[in-house]
Each structure stands twice: as structure tokens, then as C-alpha cells.
Amino acid sequence: RSYPEFLTVKTIRVMKLFKKITLGLCAASLESCSDFFEQTPDNMLDADDNYTERSNIYASFMGLYGTLQDVAPKLVVTSELWGDLLTPTDQAPDSYWEVFRYDVQPDNSVADPAPLYRIVMNCNDFMRNTIEYNKSYPGVIPTTTYRQMIAGAVALRTWAYLNIGKLYGKAVYYDYAMTGETDLSKLPVLTFDELIPELIHFMNTGVDNINGLRRVDINTMFGTTGIWNSIAISPDALLCELYLWNKEIGRAHV
């Protein structure tokens, strides 16, 4: 990729790092990458248990962001090993050295994309079922709360897919409206360059006329005071990065 001359050295270094991460596993080991993409994430939210009452829907929304704790450590370690920012020590597990050497085996838990796909699929499930609940029981969920929850799920799903694309160079694309068992062989696999415009469109259009650009404030949503901070994923920063990857420099601002 070429970079605009007016970008700062720091920005260029970051973008080059993202490029290197994107090439990562798939460029080095196509067989291992294929095995990863054939997995189905476990620990999915059960619609029968989570979308029957308002309180359960609220808990399910917080559960979406609770899944970040499964992803954050792996995301940092994997990206920095592939980006040559970390070098394993002699005492490091073989799984770390496999990532560092771009020779990942199918059972490597460090580079396993399943936690990121789990976020995508849980967000899909949350949006689909919460929209249906809101249509069936209008007014039970306050409008402001409903819109923030949907916006938060849109942004979280986009964030997860962006990181899948950056780390693996491609992504199995689960449409948010899909239900039931899915034949993975029939799902589209988008390259990184194909994925970015799709994510930009999804952030800007969202679902049920709610895009992913709304600020999510837990205290406002649930009527608490100072208990929760705002959701850590900034929709403005997320969209800015997407525009940078799409080479739309003029639209990349926060």
C-alpha cells in the first residue's frame, strides 16, 4: 500500500503495522488459516433465555461487552507478536513461538479467532431478538435505551470484524439477520479490502434505522449514577479508522 505524504511518521508506522498484521497468518500458513475459518464459536447466548423480559435484554447487552475480556489479552499478544513488537522468551509456550514465526497450527489457542467471531454472532443475535422484542412490546424499553443498545451492538460487531480482518486478512461474513444452524461453506468469505466498505456501510446504516454512531452511556441507559463508564469503543474513532483503511483520508476525522 502507498501512504499519503502528509501523514505523520507515527500514523504511517501504525498503518504499516496494521498491514503487516493483516498479512499475518493467512500469508504464512494457508492450511492452518483454513482450519480456523471452519470453526463454529461456542458459548453463544441462548435466545430462549435472554430475550423474554426487559431485564434479561439489559443483562444480555452487558454480556456482549463482557465478552471483550476473552478477546483483549489475545488481541494484544497476537497483534504484537505478528507485528514484531514482542519477541517470545525461551520460557514462552510453543503457541507464542508459532504466532511469532507465522507458523500457526490449528490447535493454537493464542491465534484462535473464535472469540472474535463469538462477539459477531452474539451481536447479531442480540440485535435480531431485541428488535423483535421491541416490536412485540413497544414502549417497554425506553426509546433512548433501545437506540443506544442497538447502536452499541452495531459498533461492537463492526469492531470485532475489523480486528478479524486486520489479523487474518479475510473474514467469514455472518449477516446479522441469519438464524438457526448455518452451513459455513455457503457463507461469503470477504477479503480485507472487501470487508472494509461493508463495515463502513453497516456503521452508517445500522439496523432498524439506528446506526452505530450514537454514543453509548450506560448510566443514561439504565438510570444509574457513576456506576458504569461509557462503552470503551468510540464509534467516531472506529469509523475514522475504517475510512483510513478505505483510503478516504478526507472523511477520516474524529
Side-chain angles (χ1 to χ4, degrees), residues 35-86:
D35 291 335
F36 276 135
F37 278 106
E38 292 173 359
Q39 299 186 48
T40 300
D42 55 3
N43 294 337
M44 301 301 298
L45 295 176
D46 189 339
D48 292 338
D49 296 332
N50 289 279
Y51 301 103
T52 56
E53 298 180 4
R54 185 179 70 173
S55 59
N56 290 344
I57 291 176
Y58 288 0
S60 295
F61 177 78
M62 295 309 301
L64 291 180
Y65 283 86
T67 57
L68 287 174
Q69 67 182 350
D70 298 328
V71 172
K74 292 183 178 182
L75 196 61
V76 172
V77 171
T78 304
S79 61
E80 295 203 0
L81 285 172
W82 274 337
D84 291 341
L85 298 178
L86 288 178

Side-chain angles (χ1 to χ4, degrees), residues 105-164:
Q105 301 304 308
D107 61 348
N108 188 301
S109 61
V110 177
D112 184 6
L116 284 166
Y117 278 108
R118 189 177 303 127
I119 290 177
V120 168
M121 297 175 72
N122 278 337
C123 285
N124 287 349
D125 190 59
F126 176 83
M127 288 185 290
R128 187 177 60 252
N129 287 283
T130 301
I131 290 171
E132 182 62 31
Y133 180 93
N134 192 58
K135 289 179 179 178
S136 300
Y137 307 101
V140 173
I141 301 176
T143 300
T144 300
T145 299
Y146 172 72
R147 289 175 177 171
Q148 287 193 65
M149 287 195 298
I150 297 299
V154 169
L156 180 57
R157 177 186 185 276
T158 303
W159 176 88
Y161 256 134
L162 175 60
N163 280 282
I164 291 171

Side-chain angles (χ1 to χ4, degrees), residues 1-4 6-23 166 192 240-249 252:
R1 296 175 186 270
S2 59
Y3 301 96
F6 58 85
L7 287 180
T8 64
V9 173
K10 181 178 180 181
T11 302
I12 293 174
R13 290 179 63 190
V14 169
M15 293 182 74
K16 285 183 176 179
L17 170 60
F18 285 161
K19 176 186 177 183
K20 192 167 187 178
I21 293 171
T22 300
L23 296 175
K166 289 194 296 186
F192 183 70
C240 175
E241 182 177 351
L242 289 170
Y243 281 134
L244 284 174
W245 281 116
N246 211 39
K247 300 180 181 179
E248 297 182 78
I249 306 300

